[in-house]
Amino acid sequence: MTDADGQSPRERYRDQVRAEIKQHAWEQIAAAGVPALSLNAIAKQVGMSGPALYRYFASRDDLITALIRDAYRSLADTVRAAFEAGADLSGLAVTIRDWARSDPQRYFLIYGTPVPGYHAPDDTTAISREVMAVLLDACRAITVDSPETAFDKHLDGHRDWAGDDPGTSATLHRALAFWTRLHGVLSLELAGHFTGMKFDPDLLIADELDDLTTR
């Protein structure tokens, strides 16, 4: 017997348990970071033995991969929805920043320091590329006549990361510049490095965006 989504009670229960395990994992990460993630501790929290938990996640890396996929999927869907609702490049910056600030640990899991000994599977990279695809779409709408740079020329032969996007090298350059500048500011802001400097990060991001969209 299956429900309206085609799931059997057993499959639905498995999804519920996996969701509970992931929630406890996020709580551990928020408290002590990814290196402290412990499947045995999570097993105790959900009331099962360590070996029983491995029926839901085969390893610690398997659990981390699930968390990374969820984080990228959330960001990609959020960014795509904002763009389809009319957000331009500046609006997307606000969207990404709001997403990051709503859960800094989730942000740092995908854009922070790599987890020692962990190697993400290729499909997580595919989801992350969905975010860049939206940024490229937004950048193509910006028409600024700027001199060609050495990096623009370099991108003519190094654009595999952009897939089949039809944008010019200048458009790809703008998307990369947006991506690196925004994440540079966000990483420093969320890590608290601006706290003692007592300036307004909103104005810093606004200036960076103005530079990106007018030059």
Side-chain angles (χ1 to χ4, degrees), residues 25 28-42 60 64 115-116:
Q28 279 194 12
I29 291 171
V34 178
L37 190 63
S38 167
L39 267 62
N40 287 331
I42 294 173
R60 177 174 171 272
I64 292 173
V115 180

Side-chain angles (χ1 to χ4, degrees), residues 32-152:
V34 178
L37 190 63
S38 167
L39 267 62
N40 287 331
I42 294 173
K44 291 180 181 179
Q45 289 177 301
V46 298
M48 64 175 63
S49 66
L53 186 142
Y54 284 94
R55 293 202 297 267
Y56 298 93
F57 291 97
S59 65
R60 177 174 171 272
D61 281 3
D62 187 32
L63 176 54
I64 292 173
T65 295
L67 298 178
I68 289 174
R69 285 193 184 117
D70 286 353
Y72 272 132
R73 180 78 273 146
S74 173
L75 178 58
D77 289 349
T78 298
V79 170
R80 172 58 67 181
F83 182 67
E84 291 179 349
D88 59 6
L89 199 60
S90 295
L92 292 178
V94 172
T95 297
I96 294 171
R97 187 177 180 221
D98 286 347
W99 183 89
R101 294 173 75 181
S102 71
D103 191 339
Q105 291 301 328
R106 179 178 58 177
Y107 173 83
F108 281 125
L109 181 63
I110 57 177
Y111 288 116
T113 304
V115 180
Y118 171 79
H119 300 285
D122 291 342
D123 67 327
T124 58
T125 303
I127 302 173
S128 72
R129 285 180 176 173
E130 294 181 32
V131 179
M132 182 57 74
V134 175
L135 301 184
L136 286 165
D137 287 343
C139 286
R140 280 201 307 277
I142 299 172
T143 55
V144 178
D145 188 14
S146 302
E148 187 177 47
T149 69
F151 189 59
D152 290 338

